[in-house]
Each structure stands twice: as C-alpha cells, then as structure tokens.
Amino acid sequence: MRHISIMLDTERLHFYFEDDMLFLPRTVRNIVKRKHETSFVHMEGLTTAMRIALHQMLNCQLRGPIKKLYLESRALELVAYQLEQVMVSNPFATNKLSINPNERKRTDFARELLLDDLENPPGLEELARSVGMSHPKLNRCFRQVYGMTVFQYLRSERLSRAREMIEHQGLTVTETAFSVGYDSLSHFAKAYKKHFGISPGAHFRTV
C-alpha cells in the first residue's frame, strides 16, 4: 500500500486565501485564520483528476530541486481538488459571491490591458498591481465575470486572434504564432489543436 501525505502551515494557507475567505467552508476558514489548532479531515472518493495527479507524483522521474518544485505543484493541485469537494458537499459554503461595481470596473480594465498587447502582455502580478488588486482576487473576479482565470482568458483570446489571422489575413502559421505571443511553434500548434480540434497547419491549408 502506498500513500501521500500533504501538510501546509496556516501562514501559507492564509496567503493563498486571504482575499477569498468567504469561499471556504467555516471549518476550513477557522483553520486558515488560526482560530484553533484542530485538524480538518474530509473523506471522499478519489476523482479521475486526483488519480492522475497522484500517479504523476508517485512516478516522477525528476531529481533534485526540480523534483521538489514539481511535487509541490502537484500537491497544491490535490489540495485544490480536495477543497473543491468540501465546498460542493458543504451546503453552508459560499460558492458564488457577487462582484461589486468597483471590482467589475477593475476587472474590465485588466481585460483591456491584456487585449492591448497580446504579443507581450503583463504578468499576472504586474497586471494585478496595475488595477489595484491582489493577483488571487483578480483571478477570482475574472472567473466570476468571464468564467475563466486570467491565464485561460489570455490563451483563449490569443488563439481566437490567431484563427482570425489565418482565415482573413493570410499569415503563415509561424507568423501567426509569433504575432499572438507564442515563442514556441510546437506549443502554439498543440494549444491551437486542443482549442479548435484542428492543427493550425491544417486550418491554414483549408482557407
């Protein structure tokens, strides 16, 4: 039998959730705020996404600090899946919060900044500072307004712009990839096919 244990200190949890406390079930919220030291246990079945992450952790072939970084990222992914289960099963958890007019205005401004320079957009922290938000809060507002994170929105817009270029501007696949900010042609081709179900080269040949 093999198992994985994940432990996070409350200071780190507080950093992740300081702008989104109301999203958390009360029990988890109290732990994050360090109101008590009791452990929180939630038992439920493994999802497919959890099994994939666990398999990747147990079979990781990386070594040294790169392995540590990789395992930490997978561990946080598992924590996110676990919290998602808690919030779905907890009828008292606040899963949806209204966005106030000021937050909506800042979120729309962040979107405009992204669209102004798809080739070289600001990073998430820089973008958040530009609109006067923390980056977790900006991501939360983006999910509420546009149904996706800042990165997901940027990728979607880049690929939509790329498709328009291929169809109407006659640019080559390489020219299109660089024009929308992709440094790697293979990365662009993979993302394009996943998004539209057709490779950019095949799409270019059909127009």
Side-chain angles (χ1 to χ4, degrees):
M1 181 178 292
R2 308 172 76 181
H3 73 277
I4 291 177
S5 297
I6 299 172
M7 292 176 284
L8 294 173
D9 59 53
T10 52
E11 184 176 345
R12 189 169 186 182
L13 282 175
H14 190 273
F15 170 77
Y16 288 134
F17 298 116
E18 60 182 337
D19 292 316
D20 300 290
M21 286 292 185
L22 292 178
F23 274 91
L24 301 175
R26 186 181 301 276
T27 305
V28 181
R29 197 184 315 155
N30 288 338
I31 294 174
V32 173
K33 291 182 177 180
R34 289 172 284 189
K35 289 188 175 181
H36 54 69
E37 299 298 328
T38 58
S39 298
F40 173 75
V41 178
H42 177 81
M43 301 294 293
E44 199 161 333
L46 291 177
T47 66
T48 301
M50 287 179 177
R51 292 181 185 278
I52 292 173
L54 286 167
H55 178 78
Q56 291 173 337
M57 294 177 77
L58 291 170
N59 294 280
C60 177
Q61 301 298 312
L62 300 172
R63 299 196 180 279
I66 301 300
K67 180 176 183 178
K68 180 180 178 181
L69 182 63
Y70 178 82
L71 292 177
E72 285 185 357
S73 69
R74 296 282 75 78
L76 289 175
E77 183 180 351
L78 286 170
V79 171
Y81 292 144
Q82 181 81 353
L83 287 175
E84 183 180 36
Q85 284 188 337
V86 173
M87 288 190 285
V88 168
S89 62
N90 188 330
F92 299 104
T94 305
N95 291 319
K96 294 183 179 180
L97 297 178
S98 60
I99 181 170
N100 65 51
N102 183 51
E103 289 175 338
R104 176 60 189 262
K105 183 177 180 180
R106 292 170 186 264
T107 303
D108 289 340
F109 181 44
R111 173 181 176 272
E112 292 174 9
L113 292 177
L114 282 179
L115 297 181
D116 281 345
D117 192 358
L118 287 179
E119 183 179 354
N120 188 31
L124 179 57
E125 292 194 9
E126 180 185 350
L127 182 66
R129 285 196 301 268
S130 298
V131 299
M133 287 182 172
S134 67
H135 66 269
K137 185 172 185 178
L138 180 59
N139 256 333
R140 173 175 65 81
C141 290
F142 250 78
R143 286 195 299 267
Q144 288 183 264
V145 176
Y146 303 113
M148 59 189 78
T149 66
V150 173
F151 175 75
Q152 290 169 338
Y153 186 87
L154 174 62
R155 180 177 57 193
S156 178
E157 287 296 319
R158 278 177 163 174
L159 294 174
S160 295
R161 184 76 60 84
R163 181 172 185 171
E164 182 180 340
M165 288 179 173
I166 290 175
E167 291 181 345
H168 303 295
Q169 297 184 23
L171 297 181
T172 66
V173 173
T174 301
E175 290 171 334
T176 301
F178 292 146
S179 295
V180 296
Y182 279 88
D183 296 326
S184 167
L185 187 58
S186 62
H187 186 197
F188 169 70
K190 183 178 179 180
Y192 192 98
K193 185 173 183 178
K194 183 176 180 180
H195 194 73
F196 295 115
I198 184 174
S199 68
H203 192 172
F204 180 78
R205 290 190 293 271
T206 62
V207 296

